[in-house]
Amino acid sequence: MVVKVRYAPSPTGSPHVGNLRTAIYDWLLAKREGGSFLVRLEDTDRSPERYAPESIADIEESMRYLGILPDAWWVTGGSDAPYVQSQRLPKYHLVIDRLLDSGHAYKCFCTKERLEKMRQEQQERGVPSGYDRRCRNLPPSDMERYTAEGLPFVVRLKMPLEGTCHLNDPIRGDITNEYRLQDDQVLLKSDGFPTYFLAATVDDHLMGVTHVLRGEEWLGSAPKMIHLYEVLGWEVPVIAHLPVILGSDRKKLSKRHGATNFRWFIEQGYLPEALVNFLVLLGWSTGEENREILSVNEIIDRFSLDGITEHPAIFDYEKLKWMNGYYIRQSEPGRIIGLCIPYLIRAGLLSNPPTTEEIGYARRIIPLEQERMKTLSEVVDLVGFFFEELNFPQGYDEKAVSKWLTVSHIQALLEQEIVAFDALPVWNSASLEQATRAVTETLGVKFAEVVHPTRVATTGRTVGPGLFETLEALGKDRTLDRLRTVSKRIEQSSTAVSL
Ligand code: GLU
């Protein structure tokens, strides 16, 4: 069997982590099995609250970004085109006509008001809500009259009133449902658009899809779809329901837990390999203990539906950050520089477009913070002090100042450093270190008692990359300016105190 897998996103907003994980699993299954992977846009829900056409670009970008390009989709076309459901309406109408003719579906003329009232009554009585099948047994004369009057209608699937439905889900095993408990599902809406149940079934069949991976929330709809396949005489594909994704409080992952959509991950600066690695582990594991960092090729080699659990997966933001930090550290500095520059432009730390000089500066400083970055957006805070006009005490960390710029040797230290640094024939970390050690000796203090105050005086903080690499990148002018300003202000304030 040639495996054909599909991802079927609806354009309802920027793809959610659940969608992204499904897409990754689809792509992996196709890769692993030497099959093909198609992406189909399910845009038949046209209600303004759901239909967000601008998210189509996001869906496309997310696939490109994650590096999970399909063999066929609306972007490139393919043998089953069109891949957009709103462009396939005649195909659904043909199937609807077939179902009506064979008596497996019926027109329902019930008004919204009637359905609403029915739902309320069911609620009050504490019985499960569902359509009461009034139109299922409408006398043919009424049916003809309503049709002739042009009354709006939907088409519903006539579910069997007896018998059982079997689904062999590779993740959840055998699932049996009684047909009589299923609702008569709407297949075609009054606006002429099909619902998901009909459109997805028709397309999966026409496109020759062999494997359907979808969220657990669709589990309840499986009997209706299987019945549809049965009455149409079509082969049922493998249908697997992926585990739900929960937040750390074990409630369904939502905005309350933090942002969950593709746009946010991009804005924060998560690398594609980190996202793929992290998302794939939300419900799948290799079976090897403590195996968490996996390259895409290692994942492809190991991937199978057997490794997917039915148990809920917990979305741990800290773990994602940790993993992203790992992949940032593993990256070539050139890549990280290129990815960080847009963040610095947006933060106004570089001009837009940056000058050659600014790019040179960014190239020197970004690698100094690469080790500490967990997301690319953190670069702004991490390297801010390299750019900002520090004007002591403005922009200085108060605690750092009170701890390190109050030591008794501070004035002597700053004065000697200014002289020594100014006289350096070459400005690099080695010569800066040598000069600093010489000053330390003259002062007769510990090296740390020089390094910390110098760092605070030149960067405004106590943490950062190696001091001498920092000073080298900061450059002579900025370093001396900052030392001089601090020295002058400290002198002024001590004179003021002694007066
Ligand atoms: N369009 C559906 C969704 O976005 C697809 C469900 C499925 O994969 O069958 O949830």
Side-chain angles (χ1 to χ4, degrees):
M1 172 171 75
V2 181
V3 166
K4 203 167 183 186
V5 195
R6 58 52 161 193
Y7 166 50
S10 297
T12 52
S14 185
H16 183 267
V17 286
N19 305 124
L20 299 176
R21 182 192 60 178
T22 304
I24 294 170
Y25 284 0
D26 287 328
W27 179 83
L28 285 168
L29 184 64
K31 278 265 168 259
R32 176 79 192 124
E33 300 294 331
S36 63
F37 171 43
L38 64 92
V39 180
R40 176 177 78 218
L41 194 66
E42 299 204 327
D43 62 344
T44 61
D45 187 342
R46 314 299 279 190
S47 53
E49 346 39 280
R50 299 264 308 154
Y51 183 53
E54 66 286 354
S55 61
I56 299 171
D58 254 22
I59 295 173
E60 183 183 332
E61 195 190 332
S62 64
M63 312 288 300
R64 291 187 191 286
Y65 188 77
L66 297 175
I68 53 170
L69 282 181
D71 302 297
W73 58 339
W74 64 90
V75 182
T76 54
S79 53
D80 303 304
Y83 292 93
V84 177
Q85 288 190 326
S86 59
Q87 295 167 18
R88 300 172 62 83
L89 297 187
K91 296 184 195 299
Y92 311 125
H93 283 267
L94 275 180
V95 175
I96 284 290
D97 290 345
R98 237 182 98 184
L99 291 166
L100 285 172
D101 288 347
S102 62
H104 287 110
Y106 62 94
K107 290 182 182 173
C108 168
F109 296 91
C110 291
T111 58
K112 253 201 202 120
E113 293 71 32
R114 172 171 192 272
L115 294 176
E116 190 43 47
K117 212 170 135 215
M118 180 189 75
R119 210 166 293 136
Q120 270 177 10
E121 281 170 11
Q122 286 169 337
Q123 256 173 16
E124 281 161 21
R125 282 192 290 136
V127 296
S129 60
Y131 181 54
D132 63 4
R133 298 186 165 136
R134 186 166 89 157
C135 291
R136 182 165 164 148
N137 303 311
L138 213 57
S141 54
D142 284 358
M143 177 82 72
E144 274 157 34
R145 188 158 48 88
Y146 293 160
T147 308
E149 284 171 7
L151 287 190
F153 64 88
V154 301
V155 174
R156 289 182 184 272
L157 181 62
K158 205 185 261 181
M159 289 303 289
L161 300 177
E162 53 190 28
T164 46
C165 162
H166 297 279
L167 169 69
N168 189 2
D169 181 319
I171 299 173
R172 291 157 203 271
D174 278 328
I175 300 171
T176 307
N177 280 288
E178 283 187 59
Y179 273 137
R180 72 183 168 84
L181 300 177
Q182 306 297 319
D183 204 8
D184 281 358
Q185 181 63 49
V186 174
L187 299 177
L188 188 75
K189 292 173 284 182
S190 55
D191 62 2
F193 278 84
T195 57
Y196 160 71
F197 307 90
L198 181 82
T201 306
V202 170
D203 285 345
D204 285 340
H205 170 71
L206 293 181
M207 296 178 175
V209 168
T210 60
H211 290 71
V212 171
L213 309 186
R214 57 182 196 176
E216 187 178 281
E217 67 273 20
W218 296 111
L219 194 56
S221 73
K224 297 168 197 166
M225 291 171 98
I226 289 174
H227 178 62
L228 248 184
Y229 279 102
E230 282 169 353
V231 298
L232 290 165
W234 295 342
E235 198 180 329
V236 185
V238 174
I239 306 179
H241 292 93
L242 304 174
V244 66
I245 302 176
L246 305 178
S248 46
D249 56 359
R250 304 193 67 84
K251 300 234 167 77
K252 198 168 162 67
L253 188 68
S254 71
K255 288 210 187 96
R256 274 185 308 114
H257 299 99
T260 54
N261 63 41
F262 171 69
R263 206 34 45 220
W264 181 81
F265 291 112
I266 293 294
E267 281 162 10
Q268 291 298 305
Y270 285 95
L271 298 181
E273 60 270 42
L275 282 173
V276 169
N277 191 161
F278 176 79
L279 291 173
V280 84
L281 294 177
L282 288 181
W284 173 82
S285 65
T286 62
E288 301 154 76
E289 228 175 294
N290 299 327
R291 196 64 212 274
E292 300 219 285
I293 296 284
L294 292 146
S295 70
V296 170
N297 286 334
E298 287 173 323
I299 297 170
I300 295 173
D301 283 347
R302 290 163 174 74
F303 191 77
S304 85
L305 295 184
D306 297 340
I308 301 179
T309 170
E310 63 183 292
H311 302 298
I314 308 286
F315 193 99
D316 179 348
Y317 284 90
E318 284 311 309
K319 181 170 167 186
L320 171 60
K321 259 193 167 182
W322 162 78
M323 212 174 250
N324 201 49
Y326 169 84
Y327 282 107
I328 290 179
R329 289 194 297 282
Q330 296 296 308
S331 298
E332 285 292 320
R335 176 190 187 205
I336 300 303
I337 294 166
L339 291 172
C340 284
I341 285 178
Y343 287 91
L344 299 180
I345 295 175
R346 278 197 293 275
L349 297 178
L350 295 177
S351 340
N352 190 11
T355 62
T356 319
E357 197 189 316
E358 283 175 332
I359 290 187
Y361 190 43
R363 292 180 76 86
R364 287 197 297 280
I365 59 172
I366 293 170
L368 297 178
E369 294 287 7
Q370 188 172 340
E371 280 289 308
R372 285 150 33 88
M373 236 180 264
K374 298 240 167 36
T375 59
L376 298 171
S377 59
E378 286 178 359
V379 72
V380 173
D381 279 344
L382 288 172
V383 306
F385 71 84
F386 279 104
F387 292 91
E388 286 149 14
E389 289 302 325
L390 286 186
N391 189 7
F392 182 76
Q394 277 156 38
Y396 280 67
D397 178 61
E398 258 178 57
K399 267 203 198 138
V401 170
S402 64
K403 176 149 191 213
W404 292 111
L405 298 187
T406 52
V407 291
S408 58
H409 58 284
I410 189 69
Q411 251 160 351
L413 167 66
L414 295 172
E415 271 158 35
Q416 289 189 29
E417 276 184 339
I418 291 165
V419 175
F421 291 173
D422 197 17
L424 284 177
V426 276
W427 186 265
N428 62 29
S429 59
S431 63
L432 283 158
E433 179 166 358
Q434 216 177 15
T436 308
R437 286 196 186 275
V439 169
T440 312
E441 260 173 50
T442 321
L443 292 173
V445 293
K446 289 192 203 123
F447 192 47
E449 291 171 316
V450 167
V451 168
H452 293 305
T454 308
R455 183 192 293 285
V456 175
T458 52
T459 69
R461 49 173 84 193
T462 48
V463 283
L467 174 65
F468 304 111
E469 286 78 21
T470 302
L471 297 184
E472 177 182 331
L474 202 54
K476 189 169 184 172
D477 291 348
R478 274 198 192 83
T479 305
L480 287 176
D481 271 0
R482 290 179 184 183
L483 289 174
R484 286 193 179 112
T485 309
V486 174
S487 167
K488 202 164 77 201
R489 300 266 156 84
I490 289 181
E491 196 187 329
Q492 285 167 351
S493 65
S494 60
T495 322
V497 170
S498 60
L499 279 176

